[in-house]
Amino acid sequence: MKGYWIARVTVTDPDPYKLYAEQAPEAFKKYNARILARGGRAQQMEGEGRPRNVVIEFDSFDDAIACYNSAEYQAARAHRVGHGIAEIVIVEGV
């Protein structure tokens, strides 16, 4: 089964957040991730919305977890923490 990251983000400090955006693709490439949605138009239908919504597909749930826990992603994540509000969930496809 494929694995998916679903991220909902509000960027609060764009300059440091740019470093995250520049470095995170290294981890995604390592784990053969495909970005299905990133930013763009969104319509919040229920609950609290965030201005940035991202969906990333991985070959497996385990790859999605491994990418998040990888040294490459954690190094990029360090630039995001404190400069935005993020909710990330990893789900298994059907």
Side-chain angles (χ1 to χ4, degrees):
M1 298 287 185
K2 293 190 183 269
Y4 298 88
W5 285 23
I6 301 170
R8 302 172 57 238
V9 180
T10 300
V11 176
T12 58
D13 192 352
D15 289 334
Y17 194 91
K18 278 190 236 178
L19 294 172
Y20 165 77
E22 291 169 1
Q23 293 180 9
E26 180 182 342
F28 301 147
K29 183 177 179 181
K30 179 179 178 180
Y31 289 91
N32 198 33
R34 291 160 301 285
I35 297 173
L36 303 180
R38 177 177 52 204
R41 289 175 29 166
Q43 177 66 48
Q44 185 67 31
M45 304 308 281
E46 295 187 29
E48 181 182 346
R50 299 241 178 253
R52 186 164 181 77
N53 299 281
V54 181
V55 179
I56 304 173
E57 180 182 66
F58 293 82
D59 291 334
S60 71
F61 181 80
D62 291 339
D63 284 350
I65 296 288
C67 181
Y68 184 86
N69 290 323
S70 71
E72 295 86 354
Y73 184 75
Q74 291 301 310
R77 181 182 175 272
H79 296 293
R80 178 178 53 75
V81 172
H83 305 291
I85 301 163
E87 299 160 358
I88 299 173
V89 62
I90 298 175
V91 298
E92 186 175 55
V94 294

